[in-house]
Amino acid sequence: MGFLKKLNSKYLKLKLKHSPQQNLFYGFLTYIVVGFILLSLPIFQKTSAPFLDHLFTATSAVSTTGLVTISIFDSYNFGGQFIIMLLFQLGGIGYLTFTTFMLLSTTKRITRWHKAILNSEFTLPISIKIKDFLKSVVIFTTIMEVIGAILFFIAFKMDGMDNYPAIWNAIFHSVSAFCTAGFSLFNSGFIDYLDNGFINFIISFLAIGGSLGFIVVTDFVLWFKNKTHKLSFTTKIILIGLSILLSIAFLFFYFYEPSITNLDGSTRTYAAFFQAMSAMTTVGFNTLDFGSFTTPILIATVFLMYVGASPSGTAGGLKITTLTAVFSIIKSRLRGSQQITFFGRVIPLERLYIATSSFIFYTSLIFLGIFVLTFSEDFNLEKIIFEVASALGTVGISMGITGDLSAVGKITIILLMFIGRLGVLTFGLAIWSRSISESEHMVIEGDIAV
Amino acid sequence: MGFLKKLNSKYLKLKLKHSPQQNLFYGFLTYIVVGFILLSLPIFQKTSAPFLDHLFTATSAVSTTGLVTISIFDSYNFGGQFIIMLLFQLGGIGYLTFTTFMLLSTTKRITRWHKAILNSEFTLPISIKIKDFLKSVVIFTTIMEVIGAILFFIAFKMDGMDNYPAIWNAIFHSVSAFCTAGFSLFNSGFIDYLDNGFINFIISFLAIGGSLGFIVVTDFVLWFKNKTHKLSFTTKIILIGLSILLSIAFLFFYFYEPSITNLDGSTRTYAAFFQAMSAMTTVGFNTLDFGSFTTPILIATVFLMYVGASPSGTAGGLKITTLTAVFSIIKSRLRGSQQITFFGRVIPLERLYIATSSFIFYTSLIFLGIFVLTFSEDFNLEKIIFEVASALGTVGISMGITGDLSAVGKITIILLMFIGRLGVLTFGLAIWSRSISESEHMVIEGDIAV
Ligand SMILES: [K+]
Ligand SMILES: [K+]
């Protein structure tokens, strides 16, 4: 223990030189590099593949995106698959949640530095205590993934799978769904389970749980323990926003997508809900081929991927809260009022500032990604837009071009997934921020986490 | 004169009930409706066409977009063409510049109300006086269009055109170019003049002059008269921004577009510059078929149309100044500084607020327009994105789908052109602003007009 403490303090001193954003940046980068090196070792492979593809897999896993250039099942053996699962587990619950928790369990306190990082990664409203938050993360993740694995095991057994594959598939897909990683050991994703209501339910349950975000969960747990605890404004906005967007998306898929309207009764309902849920929670599993969808539905899907779910969850995207802040600005601006309000609450200026910066930066990056891919690739624009939105939103659905991307295309997607997982502002701050003291000011009190 | 004054005072009283934004809204709407009714009369037509197409033509003219569903030359006789020219002349120099000048010449003073409208339409920095501004507008417009018409006449004569058509074509295209309307009496636009350096020059000269904006021109005139007058910050930003973007765009077109790299020497230079200039100034003429361009160049063009040129000019788009403010926000945000600066100057918060609102609203409208058209039309996404960006930016270049749009598609494009000419924020404020008193606060002192 004394040794661990010493190591920790050395580690801390090294890290204090950097801003919290830079630490997150280097942290994720380290995971990716380690993952890349491990996956490049032949002992974890079934068949060999170019290095760039292993880098792609590692980045996709750490960023919990789920886009793949090579088949996970055909390319990596059990060891390799296990490493991939570890990578998205780590990426999913977050570099910092993990390391801070490790630190917590040895030193019994959270340093000011770790608090700053946690705040910048999860943009917590101040009213929730860091310690409660971390506890909830670990407990919640464990409970959900165990439940998920058990349910998956039952479902796979019911579907006639053998014991060992059923166990491994259950664990792998449970973690993958909860971390909204979208990695699958099935080469065609969950297309074979299109009409399997049970599996549709398990994935939706895990992905929504994971993507709702730990803020919402902690908030709920506190409320459950103590009924005088009021749900935070952020939690309310996330729940309302998610419900509205998911309902609208469901109706669009249900009524307008020919490959869904062609389906029968409950299968049609499953299919519409699953695809909408998949884009929105950014889990990125699919039970239908997005490559065959019509243009308006693809545009709607791009929008869902663009928005994503809640901050501090496992999901990517711009986040519902950012969209809400941005929406409030437009509304208040158009009404000619000077204060920005939402549901009658004044949103602090600094939050709006962060939200608009995110919106602008995120939108510019999507545009830039599309521009680069139109140069480097020969696919039609639809597929390129879809791929870029999927990568930056860390969603992982594709119209089927990932494996055929050029080297420039793969590198671009790798960068987008990495930036998408870090968050566009965190990424920008890590690269360009002037000093620690200045950038620490960025986390401020406020109503909505963005 | 006494009668006119009385009419004016009645008119004013009626108008004072509305906010400046609402007056602009109804003003442009009135022009469109009057234009639509006139163009629907058989005496102005060569051949009959559905009412929706005449509404489209009238909106396209007043908004100085230049998109057409029917051939101007084949559908309208001289009278009809003259009406169209009047519409884009009025739209181009602006509903308000015109009416305020009319008022000025009768009453010798500008009312507070007119000042407010002018400020909201042209978002002038306070340092420039309204009266100087109006004088410059009329003088500059007249000088430019007369010079343009004379040069065009010479060019058309050199090309072997008969006297009368040469006169009419010279006047029509001179006004069209200066107002960045992009309406042409030639069914294939200026494709026949691809290698005609003189005509390439005339159009570029007029369009850049018109799109630079009256702020820049007034500023220059004042500087010319009195060398102690310093060019405003806005003027500098516009000139620098335009030069940079136009240079980059030129290089892209010159080196990457196969249909341009195939051309010889000077023709290649003309073609690259003309297409870039056309998108950037939003004049919307073309000497090549945009329908045959490659995807990356189309995306670059969409970006140019999205940005547009300077505020208070005849151009559409988001404006260079808005983009500059937005860019400054990102930069300052990423550096972790609290104040937003550009070239060492602090940009006032209210300006940033307007800029980000414009950016968000503009971007959302483009997305919405694309979404609607993917539902109503059967064209590929590339063509739809191009059409929507062209309409909202009041540019008027097309990949050739305008005439084949469905009724829903035409109405969508009509709305986009209208909103694009009004400006997204003015439009929003006209529709949703609560009261005059509140919305009058929106015009404030500041460095950059956005
Ligand atoms: K994912
Ligand atoms: K135009």
Side-chain angles (χ1 to χ4, degrees):
Chain A
M1 274 303 179
F3 171 72
L4 266 180
K5 264 192 187 171
K6 240 182 193 166
L7 207 72
N8 250 322
S9 96
K10 265 201 180 163
Y11 184 64
L12 262 180
K13 268 182 199 154
L14 195 78
K15 293 218 153 182
L16 275 169
K17 285 188 199 159
H18 301 294
S19 70
Q21 288 78 23
Q22 282 167 336
N23 282 321
L24 283 175
F25 180 94
Y26 290 119
F28 274 114
L29 199 60
T30 306
Y31 282 154
I32 290 172
V33 171
V34 171
F36 162 57
I37 293 169
L38 290 176
L39 293 176
S40 300
L41 301 176
I43 50 160
F44 294 120
Q45 301 170 358
K46 282 183 184 163
T47 54
S48 102
F51 283 117
L52 188 55
D53 291 313
H54 296 303
L55 180 62
F56 196 100
T57 305
T59 311
S60 184
V62 173
S63 66
T64 70
T65 306
L67 287 171
V68 287
T69 52
I70 50 175
S71 156
I72 299 300
F73 187 76
D74 297 342
S75 311
Y76 302 102
N77 59 23
F78 174 75
Q81 294 168 18
F82 192 82
I83 289 166
I84 291 169
M85 188 181 77
L86 277 185
L87 292 176
F88 60 68
Q89 174 76 86
L90 290 172
I93 66 167
Y95 161 62
L96 234 285
T97 327
F98 181 75
T99 53
T100 312
F101 184 74
M102 286 286 92
L103 199 73
L104 242 187
S105 49
T106 50
T107 68
K108 296 277 180 201
R109 65 183 185 86
I110 310 179
T111 61
R112 183 175 146 281
W113 168 76
H114 270 93
K115 261 189 179 163
I117 299 189
L118 263 171
N119 274 330
S120 80
E121 187 177 23
F122 291 107
T123 51
L124 288 169
I126 298 296
S127 62
I128 291 179
K129 286 198 202 80
I130 299 285
K131 225 175 138 177
D132 293 338
F133 167 72
L134 280 181
K135 249 197 207 161
S136 317
V137 168
V138 176
I139 295 172
F140 182 60
T141 303
T142 312
I143 293 175
M144 289 293 279
E145 290 180 356
V146 169
I147 293 176
I150 294 170
L151 294 178
F152 260 129
F153 179 76
I154 297 170
F156 288 139
K157 284 303 293 177
M158 282 166 66
D159 201 56
M161 209 181 270
D162 287 339
N163 275 337
Y164 285 114
I167 291 174
W168 179 228
N169 274 309
I171 296 170
F172 188 91
H173 289 108
S174 176
V175 177
S176 183
F178 179 73
C179 294
T180 64
F183 272 84
S184 176
L185 298 173
F186 311 128
N187 284 337
S188 57
F190 281 85
I191 286 180
D192 291 343
Y193 300 98
L194 170 64
D195 57 355
N196 187 324
F198 190 28
I199 285 189
N200 273 265
F201 165 78
I202 300 169
I203 294 175
S204 305
F205 168 74
L206 290 169
I208 292 175
S211 74
L212 263 185
F214 299 120
I215 289 182
V216 178
V217 174
T218 309
D219 216 7
F220 261 117
V221 169
L222 290 176
W223 174 78
F224 197 77
K225 282 186 182 164
N226 178 1
K227 292 291 191 281
T228 61
H229 175 81
K230 270 188 154 182
L231 288 181
S232 73
F233 189 48
T234 302
T235 297
K236 284 181 197 160
I237 286 182
I238 291 169
L239 290 177
I240 293 169
L242 195 73
S243 311
I244 292 174
L245 281 173
L246 206 50
S247 308
I248 294 174
F250 169 75
L251 294 174
F252 262 120
F253 280 89
Y254 192 83
F255 287 109
Y256 287 106
E257 173 48 46
S259 56
I260 290 178
T261 53
N262 284 339
L263 301 169
D264 292 331
S266 61
T267 309
R268 180 175 168 187
T269 310
Y270 297 160
F273 182 79
F274 193 90
Q275 280 21 263
M277 177 282 298
S278 182
M280 183 91 216
T281 63
T282 75
V283 65
F285 283 130
N286 59 301
T287 58
L288 285 170
D289 176 16
F290 275 91
S292 70
F293 282 11
T294 54
T295 309
I297 295 299
L298 291 170
I299 296 287
T301 308
V302 165
F303 180 71
L304 288 179
M305 297 196 287
Y306 176 80
V307 176
S310 89
S312 93
T314 54
L318 188 61
K319 319 297 184 210
I320 287 176
T321 42
T322 304
L323 194 78
T324 305
V326 162
F327 174 78
S328 308
I329 291 173
I330 290 287
K331 203 196 62 187
S332 301
R333 177 79 253 162
L334 293 184
R335 287 198 174 177
S337 42
Q338 294 298 307
Q339 274 188 328
I340 310 294
T341 57
F342 191 75
F343 282 128
R345 298 230 194 173
V346 176
I347 302 179
L349 202 66
E350 180 66 15
R351 282 283 173 213
L352 294 173
Y353 192 36
I354 294 175
T356 48
S357 304
S358 298
F359 180 89
I360 293 167
F361 200 22
Y362 197 95
T363 308
S364 309
L365 271 174
I366 285 198
F367 190 87
L368 204 65
I370 292 168
F371 188 56
V372 171
L373 287 198
T374 55
F375 267 97
S376 67
E377 312 304 313
D378 234 1
F379 306 109
N380 77 43
L381 189 58
E382 218 162 83
K383 291 180 179 169
I384 288 174
I385 292 175
F386 200 85
E387 194 81 6
V388 167
S390 180
L392 191 59
T394 70
V395 183
I397 45 180
S398 170
M399 290 176 72
I401 66 171
T402 323
D404 301 322
L405 289 172
S406 68
V408 172
K410 283 177 187 172
I411 291 166
T412 306
I413 296 293
I414 286 173
L415 286 175
L416 289 172
M417 294 191 294
F418 181 63
I419 297 172
R421 175 68 261 197
L422 269 181
V424 289
L425 279 190
T426 304
F427 171 78
L429 285 168
I431 303 272
W432 287 290
S433 77
R434 271 194 217 131
S435 69
I436 304 172
S437 58
E438 263 187 291
S439 54
E440 264 180 5
H441 288 301
M442 84 158 257
V443 182
I444 53 97
E445 262 182 89
D447 264 343
I448 311 185
V450 287
Chain B
M1 276 303 181
F3 171 71
L4 266 179
K5 265 190 185 172
K6 240 183 194 166
L7 205 73
N8 250 322
S9 95
K10 265 202 178 161
Y11 183 63
L12 263 181
K13 267 181 199 156
L14 194 78
K15 293 217 153 183
L16 275 170
K17 284 188 200 159
H18 301 294
S19 71
Q21 288 78 23
Q22 284 167 336
N23 282 321
L24 283 176
F25 180 93
Y26 291 119
F28 275 115
L29 199 61
T30 307
Y31 282 153
I32 290 171
V33 170
V34 171
F36 163 56
I37 292 169
L38 290 176
L39 293 177
S40 300
L41 300 176
I43 49 159
F44 294 120
Q45 302 170 356
K46 281 182 184 164
T47 55
S48 101
F51 283 117
L52 187 55
D53 291 314
H54 296 304
L55 179 63
F56 196 100
T57 305
T59 311
S60 183
V62 172
S63 66
T64 69
T65 305
L67 286 171
V68 287
T69 54
I70 51 176
S71 155
I72 299 301
F73 187 76
D74 297 341
S75 311
Y76 303 102
N77 59 22
F78 174 75
Q81 294 168 17
F82 193 82
I83 289 167
I84 292 169
M85 186 182 78
L86 277 185
L87 292 176
F88 60 67
Q89 174 76 83
L90 290 172
I93 66 168
Y95 162 60
L96 234 284
T97 324
F98 181 75
T99 52
T100 312
F101 184 74
M102 287 283 93
L103 200 72
L104 243 188
S105 49
T106 50
T107 67
K108 295 278 177 199
R109 66 184 184 84
I110 310 179
T111 62
R112 183 176 145 279
W113 168 79
H114 270 92
K115 263 190 178 162
I117 299 189
L118 264 172
N119 273 330
S120 79
E121 185 177 23
F122 291 107
T123 50
L124 287 170
I126 299 296
S127 62
I128 290 178
K129 287 198 201 81
I130 299 284
K131 225 174 137 177
D132 293 338
F133 167 71
L134 280 181
K135 249 197 207 162
S136 317
V137 168
V138 175
I139 294 171
F140 182 59
T141 304
T142 312
I143 293 174
M144 290 293 279
E145 290 179 356
V146 168
I147 293 175
I150 293 170
L151 295 178
F152 260 129
F153 180 75
I154 296 169
F156 288 140
K157 284 303 293 176
M158 281 165 67
D159 202 55
M161 207 182 272
D162 287 338
N163 276 337
Y164 284 114
I167 291 174
W168 178 227
N169 273 310
I171 295 171
F172 188 92
H173 289 108
S174 176
V175 177
S176 183
F178 180 72
C179 293
T180 64
F183 272 85
S184 174
L185 298 174
F186 312 127
N187 284 337
S188 57
F190 281 85
I191 286 181
D192 292 343
Y193 300 98
L194 170 64
D195 56 356
N196 187 325
F198 189 27
I199 285 189
N200 272 266
F201 165 77
I202 300 169
I203 294 175
S204 305
F205 168 73
L206 289 169
I208 292 175
S211 74
L212 263 185
F214 299 119
I215 289 183
V216 178
V217 174
T218 309
D219 218 7
F220 261 117
V221 169
L222 290 177
W223 174 78
F224 197 77
K225 281 185 184 164
N226 177 0
K227 292 289 191 284
T228 62
H229 176 82
K230 268 188 155 182
L231 288 181
S232 73
F233 190 48
T234 301
T235 297
K236 285 180 196 160
I237 286 182
I238 291 169
L239 290 178
I240 294 169
L242 195 74
S243 311
I244 293 174
L245 281 173
L246 206 50
S247 307
I248 295 173
F250 168 75
L251 294 173
F252 263 120
F253 280 88
Y254 191 83
F255 287 110
Y256 287 106
E257 173 49 46
S259 57
I260 289 176
T261 53
N262 284 340
L263 300 169
D264 294 329
S266 61
T267 309
R268 181 175 168 189
T269 309
Y270 296 160
F273 182 79
F274 193 89
Q275 281 19 265
M277 177 283 297
S278 182
M280 185 91 216
T281 62
T282 77
V283 64
F285 283 130
N286 60 300
T287 58
L288 285 170
D289 176 16
F290 275 92
S292 69
F293 281 12
T294 54
T295 309
I297 294 299
L298 291 170
I299 297 285
T301 308
V302 165
F303 179 70
L304 288 179
M305 297 197 287
Y306 175 80
V307 175
S310 89
S312 92
T314 53
L318 187 61
K319 319 296 184 211
I320 286 176
T321 43
T322 304
L323 194 79
T324 304
V326 162
F327 174 77
S328 309
I329 292 173
I330 291 287
K331 202 196 63 186
S332 301
R333 177 79 255 163
L334 293 184
R335 288 197 172 177
S337 41
Q338 294 300 306
Q339 274 188 328
I340 310 293
T341 56
F342 192 75
F343 282 129
R345 297 228 196 175
V346 176
I347 302 178
L349 203 66
E350 178 67 13
R351 283 283 171 211
L352 294 172
Y353 193 34
I354 294 175
T356 48
S357 304
S358 297
F359 180 90
I360 294 166
F361 200 21
Y362 197 94
T363 308
S364 308
L365 271 174
I366 284 198
F367 190 87
L368 204 65
I370 292 168
F371 189 56
V372 170
L373 287 197
T374 55
F375 267 97
S376 66
E377 313 304 314
D378 234 359
F379 306 110
N380 79 42
L381 189 58
E382 217 162 82
K383 291 180 179 171
I384 288 174
I385 292 175
F386 200 86
E387 195 80 5
V388 168
S390 180
L392 191 59
T394 70
V395 183
I397 46 180
S398 171
M399 289 176 72
I401 66 172
T402 323
D404 300 322
L405 289 171
S406 69
V408 172
K410 283 178 186 173
I411 290 166
T412 306
I413 296 293
I414 285 173
L415 285 175
L416 289 172
M417 293 191 295
F418 181 63
I419 297 171
R421 175 69 261 197
L422 269 180
V424 289
L425 279 191
T426 305
F427 172 77
L429 284 167
I431 302 272
W432 287 290
S433 77
R434 272 194 215 130
S435 68
I436 304 174
S437 61
E438 262 187 291
S439 55
E440 266 181 2
H441 288 301
M442 85 157 253
V443 182
I444 53 95
E445 266 183 86
D447 264 344
I448 313 186
V450 287

